[in-house]
Amino acid sequence: MDFSTLRNLISRYCAGEENWVDSRTVYIGHKEPPPGAEAYIPQRFPDNRIVSSKYTFWNFIPKNLFEQFRRIANFYFLIIFLVQLIIDTPTSPITSGLPLFFVITVTAIKQGYEDWLRHKADNAINQCPVHVIQHGNVVRKQSRKLRVGDIVRVKEDESFPCDLILLSTSRDDGTCFVTTASLDGESSHKTYYAVQDTKAFNTEEAIDTIHATIECEQPQPDLYKFVGRINIYLARDEPVARPLGSENLLLRGATLKNTEYIYAVAIYTGMETKMALNYQSKSQKRSAVEKSMNSYLIVYLCILIGKALINTILKYVWQADPNRDEPWYNERTESERQRHILIRAFTDFLAFMVLFNYIIPVSMYVTVEMQKFLGSYFITWDDDMFDEELDTGALVNTSDLNEELGQVEYVFTDKTGTLTENNMEFIECCVDGHVYVPHAICNGQVMAAAAGIDMIDSSPGAESREHEELFFRAVCLCHTVQVKEEETVDGIKRGIHQGKATSFYISSSPDEVALVEGMKRLGFTYLRLKDSHMEILNREDEIERFELLEVLNFDSVRRRMSVIVRSNTGEYYLFCKGADSAIFPRIVSGKVDEVRARVEHNAVEGLRTLCVAYKKLSHIEYEEVCHLLSSAKLALQDRDKKLSEAYDTIERDFILLGATAVEDRLQDKAADTIESLHKAGMKVWVLTGDKMETAAATCYASKLFRRSTQILELTTKRTEEQSLHDVLHDLSRTVLRQHGSMIRDTFSGLSNEFQDYGLIIDGATLSAVLKPAPEGGGGASGGNYKEIFLEICRNCSAVLCCRMAPLQKAQIVKLIKASKEHPITLAVGDGANDVSMILEAHVGIGIMGKEGRQAARNSDYAIPKFKHLKKMLLVHGHYYYIRIAELVQYFFYKNVCFIFPQFLYQFFCGFSQQPLYDTAYLTLYNISFTSLPILLYSLIEQHINMDILKKDPSLYRDIAKNSLLRWPIFIYWTFLGVFDAVVFFFGAFFLFDNTTFTSNGQLMTTNTQMMFGNWTFGTLVFTVLVFTVTLKLALDTHYWTWINHFVIWGSLLFYVIFSLLWGGIIWPFLNYQRMYYVFMQMLSSGPAWLSIILLIMVSLLPDVVKKVLCRALWPTTTERIQNADKLYGGHLSEFTPLSSLHAPPPRGQKRPDGQNPLPPRRSDSPPPKKKLLYTHWGGGGPDYCTFSSILPPLGDNPRLSGAAYAYNAPGPETSL
């Protein structure tokens, strides 16, 4: 036993050091350090194998069976089956065993197939080739065989096979460019740096001579944090130690770009990589409907036990009289008679349990499985959800959650690639108040393609022209864009076009690429950075060279970046660009008001704006700047603080040049989809790894935040100024001020009567909020932050979480799931960074985007575009829930109808466990006679037209919070079943009231002239039962097709034909012929026909009366729309919105009139070929919001559909 290891473990877990992390030592190339340098202690690390599957070949059967028998129903049926095997029961064990075996087998095959697909995907990753340096040679290995300490060579466009420390690159400066789209959703290029002392080792032979060790922290899930150091052994001297940070760490899943090759050493492999640590384990998800089914099952189980107990007690009360002992024909053996009374009673109790066990329908679980499996094909077959660009439609990975799509309350969405196309577009720039739009207005002149423009700026003068060119140069120079020449094809560069060299740009910020490309369209082309000189091609096709002297990098606190350049004439310029709030306070001259007005106008449009300014520096000033920067960069303590102070000193006294506007184009109909989700009663949260400013601009563009929204910030910047405790309480007071301590309506933010709040929180602050309270730190300062945070979120109409690590996204979802309302959550994303969130939510939806298919593969459902979420939830989700709710209630109802007469019959047969129905009827009732109609109903029923569901999202609220499976509705269905059962039993019983013996000794009823016997009685009850429950479903069916008719009437016909055959032939394989001629004898009596019709009518009467009265007096929104749809012959969907058909509002509620119409979104309309400066939006379009009431009696006081979104003012606000 290694006592040091034990001591470490004890100190780690018992010493209370919460953030204590031990370190690991990695020997580069597995080389021991020189003798005497340090002890060589080889450590064991996992291999590079990734495992996302749930089962193995060996544990599949036991693990799957354990999971399946955790379901109450499956466990119950297993017990019943074992009881039937052990004791003598009235029915055969096959009646319980076969359906159970079928359910278990089908489920196991389905789950096994899904896991096999995961195994297949894992193998594809684990077996992909990687190149490792061994003894100066490149050796090809499978990814899974990679070990910590291996030196790896990665080429351009290859993904990193594990977490690596960068040693050297093909570039002389030791940098490389990487895209981390699959990690944090950002497809922009990020720069990483090799260790200064190793960057020269850039060949196989050289890299193999490195003698070094790396000491670093043990694996942590935080993508943005890494602490380590490298010790490089040069000759026999002391090792040179260099710090390592996140800028040296290349993460698994990221891709190398614009760099020919790199050499790096593996430090974290397999399930220890940061990406793997951010994965959630895949757990079994259960829908709310399934939980309701389990609750009902427990109630029916109690009813069953109650019935069996009552019958057992009454049996022994009955037999207490010596004259009423058990009848002789039951043939009890002497040993059975001598048993202890308790054992006899227990055996009888179990026999009654088996007799009545049909009240708990095993076939319901079979039908539900089939309904989910077959119903999922409607999503994959939906042409509206097919994307021609990707040439793919929606995919269903898990059919268990179909109905959950109709119950969603919170939607958590990624931003980049999910809401947006991840594609920036330059829209316009403004210089000294003059607006320039590419290809439309340039230098105040109208271009040929811009004839339709309504307003043109006047031509700028000579001074303005100088400022204009300076602005274009500033934008062309103030960036960190890299230029990549297009690949050569047959020795000819594709980049040469019309005599000009055209290349494409890459950068860590897609905004910068859009700006440089925008300048190119306006006549100034950035060519390259060569030998520290930036080259620009101006409008006169002349190349201008500027020497790049300093770059003051962008950071989220300053919110700006600057460059210092020297022109050919020797002048020094400081160009700065940044957010308006970071630039305007530092301006000393320039046309601030004009530029500010344009910036505000563009911000309202949802565009991302940046301001550009400059100042000239003398040589002396430049020397001072250089000294200030170099002293800050060389500081070992508080380097960041000293750098920010230096930047603050340098970036002052600017002259304003102008501003730019860039659009991160939203995905088609993304804003309309979010609007619809809001109207449907869902809260939408955006969780992104992106910067706050970028994410906020997208939220405005997608209408997640509205113009009137008051933004509340819970960010690092604010918590640095105030304590977290104070900030949270301030925000809490702000959102609750209007309503005192009352929690306002979740969706009141969409009305103009309330202040609309939106919350922005970043990853660092979220960590602080979710941090558990310190021991003994109670009260407000303790750890009550979580509750306050949730309270603030509940009162905000939208929440934006930025700079989120993948695991933090999952933590947010988990936090909301665990809140006291226990809402149903849905997460949607497109990258590997969204997988944890997708797995944590009740329903996970992957988008098949540009960032690989990991999200789609790990999700429950996959869709091509975000816009398809609207139909998936509002139509498919709505239908699935309505159908399965009816299926569950109907199954319990028909089984109450089926088994309650059996219970009543025991009072008339001396509690002898005599079945009322024949064995064939007992077995086939749920399997054949009544199963197909409800299965078909649960697949194709459409209670409301599909177009109406899409156009009136507020209908989704009618089924929210599992409203159709609540206890009052369940009790109604149960009592309806008991009433029908009493009618069947006693109706048939009174028909047989007067009986006489015939001449040949048979018993015949005097009033119906029908042979009397227990099988005739049972068959009559069963016939009425089958017809009643089938016709009840026919009454509930709203959407009739030929298939419904065929299945419903076909089932009844099948029952009649089966009964005629079953009782009309002497079957040789049966050891009894008790049903022979019974059915025919019954139907030969005219009064029996009349009785059957009468009993069916009496049974259905209460339900029909209830339906008629409720529709006439208290119609629901659904019933109003159904009535109106019939009135208009199925064309109601052409009349929108349907606010006049909603229930009246509460007394005193005002209509929000007088809303100003909002301009349409840029991203909602197809992009014009040429961007125009101004567009006048007239009122020429149809006004969808002022239709008069469709049904005059209902239109006097219409309810506002979609939380006050059905405006009575004209305008394009409601996107239909």
Side-chain angles (χ1 to χ4, degrees):
M1 177 74 186
D2 186 352
F3 288 98
S4 63
T5 310
L6 185 63
R7 189 165 60 248
N8 284 343
L9 283 171
I10 291 169
S11 66
R12 180 171 182 176
Y13 290 108
C14 303
E17 292 176 313
E18 199 177 89
N19 299 320
W20 185 86
V21 178
D22 55 352
S23 64
R24 62 168 57 184
T25 303
V26 177
Y27 300 95
I28 295 178
H30 308 288
K31 289 181 189 160
E32 298 180 25
E38 61 178 82
Y40 175 61
I41 309 167
Q43 298 177 27
R44 289 178 65 86
F45 302 112
D47 62 15
N48 200 35
R49 196 175 294 139
I50 285 287
V51 181
S52 65
S53 54
K54 192 171 168 184
Y55 305 108
T56 65
F57 179 78
W58 304 109
N59 73 8
F60 175 71
I61 290 176
K63 194 172 179 181
N64 189 266
L65 286 177
F66 172 72
E67 283 185 351
Q68 291 211 55
F69 284 117
R70 279 168 61 195
R71 282 185 173 182
I72 298 172
N74 290 350
F75 185 70
Y76 163 75
F77 291 122
L78 178 68
I79 297 295
I80 290 292
F81 175 63
L82 294 175
V83 167
Q84 285 179 299
L85 285 176
I86 294 164
I87 67 164
D88 180 26
T89 55
T91 54
S92 164
I94 296 170
T95 55
S96 295
L98 260 180
L100 177 65
F101 178 74
F102 178 74
V103 172
I104 295 292
T105 309
V106 168
T107 310
I109 290 169
K110 190 180 86 170
Q111 291 178 351
Y113 175 70
E114 287 172 357
D115 204 62
W116 177 73
L117 291 178
R118 284 193 285 272
H119 270 284
K120 204 172 160 186
D122 288 345
N123 288 338
I125 293 169
N126 292 332
Q127 290 172 9
C128 71
V130 294
H131 297 92
V132 178
I133 309 300
Q134 285 181 356
H135 310 301
N137 299 315
V138 178
V139 178
R140 190 168 151 141
K141 275 186 179 183
Q142 285 187 343
S143 173
R144 64 194 173 89
K145 293 180 179 175
L146 206 59
R147 291 188 301 150
V148 170
D150 283 346
I151 298 174
V152 180
R153 187 180 75 179
V154 181
K155 292 181 181 175
E156 186 173 3
D157 294 326
E158 288 182 353
S159 290
F160 302 124
C162 59
D163 290 353
L164 306 162
I165 289 292
L166 183 59
L167 297 176
S168 63
T169 78
S170 58
R171 305 170 73 92
D172 294 335
D173 57 0
T175 59
C176 72
F177 301 98
V178 170
T179 58
T180 56
S182 65
L183 301 172
D184 57 14
E186 293 186 40
S187 60
S188 53
H189 290 56
K190 295 183 173 67
T191 308
Y192 286 81
Y193 302 91
V195 181
Q196 283 299 312
D197 300 72
T198 63
K199 70 178 182 183
F201 297 85
N202 56 5
T203 65
E204 284 90 2
E205 294 78 16
I207 201 81
D208 199 45
T209 62
I210 288 182
H211 233 74
T213 60
I214 292 174
E215 291 175 58
C216 61
E217 62 188 5
Q218 292 289 14
Q220 300 287 315
D222 191 339
L223 294 179
Y224 306 106
K225 183 171 167 270
F226 175 74
V227 178
R229 73 176 176 208
I230 183 168
N231 300 309
I232 302 157
Y233 298 96
L234 302 169
R236 290 275 175 181
D237 302 334
E238 279 294 305
V240 178
R242 293 277 182 257
L244 297 174
S246 55
E247 70 278 2
N248 309 113
L249 180 69
L250 305 170
L251 298 176
R252 178 183 189 125
T255 307
L256 185 65
K257 292 285 181 186
N258 209 31
T259 310
E260 197 179 329
Y261 61 84
I262 62 143
Y263 293 105
V265 60
I267 56 159
Y268 303 133
T269 52
M271 299 308 286
E272 288 190 343
T273 57
K274 287 184 180 281
M275 194 68 246
L277 291 173
N278 273 282
Y279 278 144
Q280 291 280 95
S281 59
K282 198 166 176 94
S283 59
Q284 188 79 19
K285 293 182 179 180
R286 303 216 181 282
S287 69
V289 169
E290 192 173 326
K291 289 169 187 167
S292 296
M293 279 165 59
N294 288 341
S295 304
Y296 297 164
L297 196 82
I298 291 167
V299 170
Y300 272 67
L301 194 59
C302 295
I303 292 171
L304 171 64
I305 293 168
K307 279 183 177 180
L309 210 58
I310 289 166
N311 274 253
T312 308
I313 293 165
L314 290 176
K315 176 175 181 171
Y316 283 90
V317 170
W318 166 267
Q319 290 180 359
D321 188 332
N323 299 324
R324 292 181 183 162
D325 196 6
E326 198 158 326
W328 58 269
Y329 48 79
N330 272 11
E331 296 181 355
R332 277 202 309 171
T333 61
E334 194 57 36
S335 62
E336 286 174 339
R337 288 176 178 277
Q338 298 306 318
R339 274 189 200 152
H340 193 279
I341 189 166
L342 288 177
I343 295 172
R344 277 189 288 149
F346 183 66
T347 310
D348 283 328
F349 172 74
L350 290 178
F352 279 120
M353 286 280 286
V354 170
L355 184 65
F356 298 141
N357 97 82
Y358 295 95
I359 195 170
I360 294 177
V362 65
S363 56
M364 177 175 76
Y365 286 86
V366 183
T367 311
V368 165
E369 287 286 336
M370 290 175 70
Q371 189 265 354
K372 288 181 175 183
F373 178 69
L374 297 173
S376 63
Y377 282 101
F378 290 118
I379 289 179
T380 55
W381 291 337
D382 192 336
D383 288 342
D384 290 347
M385 296 169 77
F386 183 85
D387 187 70
E388 290 179 2
E389 185 187 333
L390 294 171
D391 193 33
T392 184
L395 295 174
V396 178
N397 297 328
T398 309
S399 57
D400 291 343
L401 302 168
N402 293 344
E403 65 277 5
E404 205 81 326
L405 294 169
Q407 294 295 297
V408 176
E409 294 169 65
Y410 278 79
V411 175
F412 298 94
T413 172
D414 178 39
K415 182 191 78 71
T416 313
T418 303
L419 288 180
T420 67
E421 290 179 352
N422 205 2
N423 195 6
M424 302 291 174
E425 185 182 353
F426 180 80
I427 301 298
E428 66 171 49
C429 59
C430 166
V431 185
D432 288 346
H434 300 288
V435 178
Y436 299 82
V437 180
H439 306 315
I441 301 178
C442 194
N443 195 20
Q445 302 300 313
V446 186
M447 307 302 278
I453 290 177
D454 297 327
M455 194 183 296
I456 301 161
D457 288 322
S458 57
S459 259
E463 187 189 341
S464 291
R465 184 179 174 108
E466 187 186 327
H467 254 207
E468 168 203 308
E469 294 201 347
L470 194 57
F471 172 85
F472 292 153
R473 287 189 185 94
V475 178
C476 279
L477 295 169
C478 188
H479 56 71
T480 56
V481 170
Q482 302 289 322
V483 181
K484 183 176 180 184
E485 295 291 336
E486 298 217 13
E487 291 83 3
T488 53
V489 180
D490 299 330
I492 302 165
K493 280 203 171 178
R494 286 191 289 155
I496 305 300
H497 179 63
Q498 294 177 346
K500 292 182 184 178
T502 58
S503 313
F504 62 91
Y505 303 115
I506 54 175
S507 170
S508 61
S509 165
D511 298 65
E512 291 194 329
V513 174
L515 291 175
V516 173
E517 285 177 344
M519 292 303 103
K520 185 175 176 179
R521 284 153 62 196
L522 288 169
F524 278 76
T525 306
Y526 171 62
L527 296 177
R528 66 182 68 83
L529 171 63
K530 189 178 179 183
D531 303 327
S532 298
H533 282 77
M534 300 178 88
E535 296 179 3
I536 296 174
L537 188 72
N538 63 21
R539 283 189 192 139
E540 285 73 38
D541 285 349
E542 296 167 355
I543 292 180
E544 300 178 8
R545 284 169 62 90
F546 291 84
E547 185 183 355
L548 180 62
L549 301 169
E550 294 286 352
V551 178
L552 282 61
N553 283 316
F554 177 89
D555 66 64
S556 56
V557 178
R558 279 165 51 239
R559 298 173 72 186
R560 59 184 180 271
M561 78 158 287
S562 303
V563 293
I564 300 174
V565 295
R566 183 166 55 200
S567 66
N568 286 340
T569 56
E571 292 176 306
Y572 293 93
Y573 287 96
L574 170 64
F575 292 119
C576 181
K577 74 166 190 271
D580 54 337
S581 57
I583 299 287
F584 283 140
R586 295 169 181 272
I587 299 295
V588 290
S589 69
K591 298 190 176 178
V592 178
D593 293 337
E594 292 93 329
V595 175
R596 193 195 298 272
R598 194 67 197 168
V599 165
E600 286 174 359
H601 172 269
N602 286 333
V604 165
E605 289 277 319
L607 301 178
R608 302 156 67 119
T609 57
L610 287 173
C611 294
V612 181
Y614 84 106
K615 73 173 175 180
K616 280 188 177 180
L617 300 172
S618 66
H619 185 71
I620 296 165
E621 284 173 328
Y622 170 67
E623 292 290 337
E624 287 173 0
V625 165
C626 278
H627 174 70
L628 202 60
L629 285 173
S630 61
S631 61
K633 282 178 182 173
L634 289 172
L636 292 172
Q637 298 292 323
D638 298 327
R639 182 185 296 175
D640 291 344
K641 186 182 175 187
K642 287 177 180 173
L643 267 176
S644 64
E645 285 170 0
Y647 290 164
D648 188 54
T649 308
I650 296 161
E651 293 171 327
R652 290 172 186 268
D653 306 326
F654 287 130
I655 300 165
L656 184 64
L657 286 171
T660 61
V662 171
E663 181 179 32
D664 182 3
R665 184 168 282 282
L666 283 181
Q667 279 197 18
D668 183 31
K669 296 184 180 172
D672 173 59
T673 303
I674 285 182
E675 202 168 315
S676 298
L677 297 181
H678 271 303
K679 289 181 189 176
M682 290 172 242
K683 281 202 165 189
V684 183
W685 288 36
V686 173
L687 312 181
T688 176
D690 220 336
K691 295 193 292 286
M692 187 178 107
E693 298 79 15
T694 311
T698 305
C699 290
Y700 277 107
S702 63
K703 303 297 180 198
L704 186 76
F705 294 156
R706 313 185 70 76
R707 292 186 192 185
S708 58
T709 304
Q710 183 181 333
I711 301 300
L712 309 173
E713 283 191 24
L714 186 56
T715 56
T716 313
K717 187 179 173 186
R718 187 161 175 195
T719 52
E720 282 170 357
E721 296 163 5
Q722 270 181 291
S723 72
L724 178 63
H725 176 268
D726 293 342
V727 173
L728 279 168
H729 280 83
D730 283 355
L731 295 179
S732 181
R733 276 196 295 274
T734 304
V735 295
L736 293 173
R737 187 184 300 138
Q738 209 166 3
H739 308 279
S741 60
M742 279 168 51
I743 296 174
R744 53 186 217 153
D745 177 46
T746 311
F747 307 100
S748 60
L750 299 173
S751 159
N752 64 343
E753 294 180 24
F754 298 100
Q755 176 60 56
D756 190 11
Y757 294 108
L759 178 70
I760 298 177
I761 182 168
D762 61 18
T765 317
L766 180 73
S767 296
V769 168
L770 299 183
K771 199 173 172 185
E775 286 297 316
S781 62
N784 212 12
Y785 295 154
K786 211 180 281 187
E787 280 304 314
I788 300 170
F789 173 66
L790 278 171
E791 188 66 31
I792 295 164
C793 292
R794 269 188 219 112
N795 289 280
C796 291
S797 60
V799 179
L800 164 63
C801 306
C802 47
R803 279 282 170 229
M804 290 278 139
L807 214 52
Q808 284 183 308
K809 292 184 178 185
Q811 285 173 335
I812 281 272
V813 176
K814 194 172 184 178
L815 182 70
I816 297 299
K817 269 172 71 178
S819 62
K820 60 187 177 189
E821 296 93 356
H822 297 293
I824 303 297
T825 57
L826 177 143
V828 53
D830 67 324
N833 59 314
D834 304 313
V835 169
S836 298
M837 165 175 87
I838 284 169
L839 293 175
E840 181 61 53
H842 291 97
V843 183
I845 293 188
I847 287 181
M848 295 175 269
K850 297 175 183 175
E851 298 175 12
R853 294 292 169 98
Q854 275 177 290
R857 199 171 65 238
N858 284 279
S859 62
D860 303 307
Y861 302 89
I863 52 176
K865 291 274 166 40
F866 183 76
K867 66 179 179 182
H868 298 134
L869 190 64
K870 179 178 176 180
K871 187 171 186 186
M872 183 168 252
L873 297 182
L874 302 187
V875 178
H876 289 293
H878 198 118
Y879 282 158
Y880 283 136
Y881 178 74
I882 290 283
R883 293 164 182 168
I884 205 162
E886 175 86 11
L887 185 151
V888 171
Q889 302 280 27
Y890 177 77
F891 248 100
F892 281 113
Y893 156 78
K894 75 185 179 78
N895 280 44
V896 170
C897 292
F898 179 44
I899 225 67
F900 201 71
Q902 177 74 68
F903 171 71
L904 296 173
Y905 184 59
Q906 294 306 303
F907 289 85
F908 295 87
C909 70
F911 306 101
S912 61
Q913 294 140 22
Q914 168 65 33
L916 174 62
Y917 313 116
D918 180 56
T919 307
Y921 288 159
L922 277 172
T923 308
L924 294 178
Y925 174 73
N926 277 320
I927 293 174
S928 298
F929 301 146
T930 60
S931 60
L932 268 182
I934 184 61
L935 177 62
L936 194 81
Y937 175 97
S938 66
L939 287 173
I940 66 172
E941 171 66 3
Q942 294 181 20
H943 63 304
I944 295 178
N945 187 292
M946 197 179 290
D947 294 330
I948 297 173
L949 286 178
K950 274 197 284 190
K951 291 183 177 178
D952 193 355
S954 61
L955 289 170
Y956 190 88
R957 297 183 182 202
D958 295 345
I959 59 165
K961 297 191 182 296
N962 208 8
S963 60
L964 300 184
L965 286 173
R966 287 186 180 157
W967 287 105
I969 297 171
F970 168 70
I971 291 165
Y972 167 75
W973 278 87
T974 304
F975 274 110
L976 190 65
V978 171
F979 171 81
D980 288 355
V982 169
V983 170
F984 305 154
F985 184 82
F986 286 108
F989 178 76
F990 289 126
L991 283 175
F992 290 126
D993 201 19
N994 300 310
T995 56
T996 56
F997 282 99
T998 59
S999 55
N1000 59 358
Q1002 289 181 317
L1003 200 62
M1004 181 175 277
T1005 56
T1006 52
N1007 50 355
T1008 60
Q1009 294 299 301
M1010 189 167 65
M1011 290 295 182
F1012 180 76
N1014 65 321
W1015 298 117
T1016 312
F1017 178 65
T1019 304
L1020 179 64
V1021 171
F1022 192 78
T1023 304
V1024 177
L1025 159 71
V1026 170
F1027 274 79
T1028 302
V1029 296
T1030 308
L1031 291 172
K1032 161 80 174 112
L1033 188 66
L1035 285 173
D1036 285 354
T1037 303
H1038 184 262
Y1039 183 72
W1040 282 92
T1041 63
W1042 68 268
I1043 311 175
N1044 295 72
H1045 285 290
F1046 176 76
V1047 168
I1048 286 177
W1049 314 124
S1051 291
L1052 296 176
L1053 189 63
F1054 172 73
Y1055 164 68
V1056 173
I1057 292 169
F1058 174 83
S1059 297
L1060 289 170
L1061 289 173
W1062 185 241
I1065 299 172
I1066 295 176
W1067 298 97
F1069 58 84
L1070 289 178
N1071 57 3
Y1072 64 87
Q1073 302 295 336
R1074 61 193 179 203
M1075 291 302 290
Y1076 181 66
Y1077 212 63
V1078 167
F1079 195 70
M1080 265 115 10
Q1081 169 69 27
M1082 186 184 80
L1083 293 186
S1084 63
S1085 164
W1089 281 82
L1090 188 64
S1091 307
I1092 290 168
I1093 294 166
L1094 186 66
L1095 289 175
I1096 291 169
M1097 288 176 68
V1098 171
S1099 302
L1100 292 174
L1101 190 64
D1103 201 45
V1104 172
V1105 169
K1106 174 191 169 283
K1107 275 186 167 58
V1108 170
L1109 286 176
C1110 286
R1111 273 182 181 267
L1113 302 176
W1114 309 284
T1116 62
T1117 307
T1118 301
E1119 287 165 352
R1120 287 166 186 261
I1121 287 172
Q1122 285 173 350
N1123 293 338
D1125 204 24
K1126 282 177 187 170
L1127 192 69
Y1128 281 86
H1131 297 290
L1132 177 65
S1133 58
E1134 293 168 19
F1135 300 88
T1136 50
L1138 304 163
S1139 55
S1140 59
L1141 298 176
H1142 285 247
R1147 189 168 302 208
Q1149 182 175 318
K1150 295 179 182 176
R1151 299 172 61 89
D1153 292 334
Q1155 292 277 357
N1156 293 322
L1158 299 177
R1161 291 173 285 277
R1162 288 178 182 269
S1163 297
D1164 280 356
S1165 54
K1169 288 179 182 173
K1170 307 290 183 190
K1171 283 286 177 185
L1172 303 184
L1173 177 59
Y1174 293 101
T1175 313
H1176 288 307
W1177 293 91
D1183 176 11
Y1184 290 117
C1185 303
T1186 52
F1187 279 115
S1188 59
S1189 168
I1190 294 170
L1191 295 177
L1194 308 175
D1196 299 335
N1197 198 5
R1199 191 183 83 179
L1200 298 173
S1201 94
Y1205 255 58
Y1207 291 110
N1208 259 24
E1213 177 59 36
T1214 307
S1215 302
L1216 297 168

